[in-house]
Amino acid sequence: MIETATVRVGDLGAYLARPEGVEGGPGMLFLPMITGIGEQVRDWADELAGRGITALVWDPFKGRSTDNSTREELSGLLREMNDDSALGEQVALLDHLLGELGCQQAGVMGWCLGGRLALLLGAREHRLANVISYHPTVPSKLAPQHSYDTVAEVGGITAPVMVLYPSADTIVPVADFEAVQTALQARPTGATITHFYPGADHGFSDRGRHDQEVNAEAFKLSWPQALAFIDATTS
């Protein structure tokens, strides 16, 4: 049994899923894709709670998600997002996981925009037990609202990292992903586990892309391995 709720952490809203009646144990901070805290992200959080892991989900769009907004509207909000503000909110949620929620260890998992921020957060937060970055949006040309170059930052991550990249990503060229991978593998500490999915698209984990078999198969293969990585790094 699990318990779920929309909670307040200071002035932030977040989605919480955790094993019913259980305090402490492992935790994961989720950083969503463009969907915000939509149904699929909540389902992933609920799945982790069913496995005994507390999941706390950052709300990038302050109550807006694909449940109540179009992707075009959310993309507009994304263009207004500030790196430092987003990272500050995520640190506050990590504090909550390791503090009030009593988690003994916690990692971070992000998708697309959240995949990039997971890497940036990992470079700043050495309390993290792991960093999982699904198809991160890390093109070498920074978006106007971005302050930090991921390639320059990831060398500061000390936790084990799992990064999952689709070869047909039209947002992040293969060469840009290889630069991130090279920087991760140059770290003096922290394992790097790289997944490479030929033919899969950016955002392949999104159910909305699973009408393409290559995306559905990439997610089917990757998700159990991501769950096993969480278990191995937070136990």
Side-chain angles (χ1 to χ4, degrees):
M1 298 292 291
I2 67 171
E3 53 187 19
T4 65
T6 298
V7 299
R8 301 297 298 180
V9 179
D11 60 354
L12 303 175
Y15 180 77
L16 173 66
R18 60 180 174 180
E20 188 174 34
V22 176
E23 295 185 3
M28 288 294 294
L29 175 62
F30 277 12
L31 310 182
M33 59 185 94
I34 194 64
T35 58
I37 307 180
E39 180 181 8
Q40 183 174 13
V41 174
R42 297 194 306 274
D43 286 347
W44 284 332
D46 294 354
E47 182 177 351
L48 259 66
R51 296 169 59 89
I53 300 166
T54 295
L56 187 63
V57 188
W58 173 59
D59 183 0
F61 305 123
K62 309 302 182 285
R64 304 277 292 276
S65 73
T66 45
D67 291 351
N68 55 27
S69 304
T70 67
R71 290 180 184 244
E72 290 72 22
E73 290 170 332
L74 298 175
S75 293
L77 294 175
L78 175 60
R79 289 190 289 272
E80 299 173 1
M81 186 179 296
N82 173 276
D83 279 348
D84 287 315
S85 296
L87 290 164
E89 292 174 0
Q90 293 155 18
V91 169
L93 295 180
L94 181 61
D95 289 343
H96 188 64
L97 270 172
L98 295 171
E100 290 87 340
L101 295 177
C103 293
Q104 297 169 357
Q105 293 201 72
V108 62
M109 179 188 286
W111 298 262
C112 300
L113 72 97
R116 172 180 176 268
L117 287 166
L119 294 168
L120 295 180
L121 184 66
R124 289 156 176 74
E125 271 294 346
H126 295 168
R127 294 178 293 172
L128 289 167
N130 62 53
V131 175
I132 303 173
S133 180
Y134 258 95
H135 33 73
T137 307
V138 288
S140 56
K141 183 178 180 180
L142 294 185
Q145 73 273 20
H146 289 169
S147 302
Y148 300 107
D149 177 358
T150 311
V151 174
E153 296 283 327
V154 297
I157 302 173
T158 56
V161 175
M162 176 179 282
V163 59
L164 307 97
Y165 176 76
S167 75
D169 195 323
T170 58
I171 298 175
V172 182
V174 173
D176 290 356
F177 169 72
E178 289 175 342
V180 173
Q181 181 182 359
T182 297
L184 285 169
Q185 291 176 179
R187 295 178 298 148
T189 185
T192 301
I193 299 174
T194 304
H195 289 221
F196 187 86
Y197 291 95
D201 296 319
H202 183 80
F204 69 79
S205 58
D206 188 340
R207 289 175 187 157
R209 296 182 180 273
H210 289 180
D211 57 334
Q212 299 292 322
E213 184 178 358
V214 67
N215 295 327
E217 287 299 316
F219 180 70
K220 181 180 178 181
L221 179 61
S222 68
W223 186 243
Q225 297 183 73
L227 294 176
F229 184 67
I230 293 170
D231 290 343
T233 51
T234 61
S235 60

